Amino acid sequence: MTAVPANAAAPVRPRRRPRVGARRLALRAVVPLTLIGLWCLLSYGGIVDPLYLPSPTEMWNAFNELRADLPSAIATTVGMTLTGFVIGTALGVSLGLLMAYSSIARDLLSDVLDLTRPVPVFALIPLFLLWFGIGRGPQIALIALGTSVILGVTTLEAIRNVNPIHVRAALTLGASRGTIYRRVVLPSIFPHLLGAIRVAAAASWGLDVAAELIGSQNGLGYLMIVRQQYLDTAGILVVVVVYAVLALALDRAIVWLERPLTRWTHRDQRAGVAASILGRA
Amino acid sequence: MSPAALTITEATVDFGAGPVLDQVSLDVAAGEFVCVVGASGSGKTTLLNAIAGLVELDGGTVAVDGRRVTGPGPDRAVVFQDDAVFPWLSVARNAAFGLETQGVGKAERRTRVTDVLATVGLTGSEERWPRELSGGMRKRVDLARALAVRPPVLLMDEPYGALDMLTKERLQADLDRIVSHEGMTVVFITHDLEEAVFLADRVIVLASHPGRVAAEIRVPFARPRDPELRLTPDFQAVRGEVLHHLQAVETTA
Ligand SMILES: Nc1ncnc2c1ncn2[C@@H]1O[C@H](COP(=O)(O)OP(=O)(O)OP(=O)(O)O)[C@@H](O)[C@H]1O
Ligand SMILES: [Mg+2]
């Protein structure tokens, strides 16, 4: 496929060689280094008030101040977010499968889902507080609700896109309805679900922040409110960085966990083919 | 399993815009290999799906050994026109799928999968993913999956339509050998007349709008057949006869 015709007398556009490692690395460093440079210039140069943009030194100091509080805050937040995310994912996928499988479930739930899907989950936070009070339970429930909607909708959509020929083939091989759901539908939709699971994971951190900002006594979000009351911008930024690191770690973990389950898909290859045609622009 | 006789009696299918199949009747003897040819849109796939139980009849019946067909089942395995290999299963797991749904035990399953993959020439590819296979190999997986359940009736819908000539001829010779050896009843759809005459005991010409049986041509060569048979005048004479009928149908349509 990548062979270049030997009789290259005709004006064939030369295939661009992949950039050498060092040069690519340098190119990729340009934007981050510029941003960091700009940050140092603005903060150390006294161009922007530290209330709005603290310097790296101030952030390091703030980090040292928060150090004692961070472990328990992280534990609380991670525990809550992961619990809500896992419950919501399981619930969403199960509901999607149930609605595809059973017409009774579909008739019962589809209108409710269609009507509630566009409602922003964040708008429900005050109601949750009112109904369930402050505490871990309602916060986990909120995260679970948000993730389950994302996954329920994606699951239903993915099931609609299952290749009918696979279902027919299974039918002619004597598979029952249950077997088809387990052995054809589920593996078919799995690669599509993974994208949604990653989106839901990212969203669950956002839901956690919102839930904590409004009603909690512990956790990273709560820590942020406290720092805000002290007008400690550097402290807030430190917590933001912690959230970012946690979200990134969860995302990487999901990708790592799914890899053995999606080895059969084309994904890597397809990216490779597209890149070989379009160039590594 | 021993081959079964197939009886199609006045089968009518209408998707709403006039009949696609109009009272099609066809008897296929146990162990017979029947090829169905016809123009695109003449209802070949619809006929096959009706036999498979994937399309509901608006009239008439399909019966296997006298038992009426009411839905799909492993007594009529299908190799589809399009690629139907499960991409999430390895070659061996694909071949084992029908056996698993039938509750065949693990040890028995393993020997049958090994046998069927050897039969279709896929030994050594057991653990490969379908995406790593060529089109011809994927068709072999489709065939292996269907053969593994030892169906009394095998239904094939233009399985080799998308393959190059050499691959196609090799797969035809393999199929001829396998089916003759196992003694299955086969309904095979194609628009390639040479393929039809090479494989079939009998070629059915389907007329379009609506689909109905226009002609039947017996192919008087014993199976399994030598690929060289294609070059003989006798073979070409039968092919000419089929072509003649097909042209007659097309000009009157
Ligand atoms: N599910 C369906 N709904 C409506 N019309 C259909 C359906 N399936 C087939 N048809 C129509 O029935 C006719 C016969 O289709 P069929 O697929 O059986 O043709 P075919 O002989 O297999 O053609 P080809 O050689 O192109 O595969 C066509 O006119 C097609 O449009
Ligand atoms: Mg067809």
Side-chain angles (χ1 to χ4, degrees), chain A residues 244-260:
Chain A
V245 169
L246 290 175
L248 209 63
L250 179 59
D251 190 61
R252 292 293 99 190
I254 294 170
V255 171
W256 183 75
L257 284 173
E258 54 121 312
R259 196 161 292 158

Side-chain angles (χ1 to χ4, degrees), chain A residues 222-245:
Chain A
Y222 172 71
L223 210 57
M224 264 206 279
I225 305 193
V226 176
R227 297 334 291 171
Q228 193 194 13
Q229 282 157 4
Y230 290 106
L231 294 182
D232 177 10
T233 316
I236 296 175
L237 273 174
V238 166
V239 177
V240 170
V241 170
V242 173
Y243 264 119
V245 169

Side-chain angles (χ1 to χ4, degrees), chain A residues 32-42:
Chain A
L33 287 180
T34 312
L35 287 176
I36 291 173
L38 206 62
W39 176 26
C40 292
L41 185 76
L42 292 177

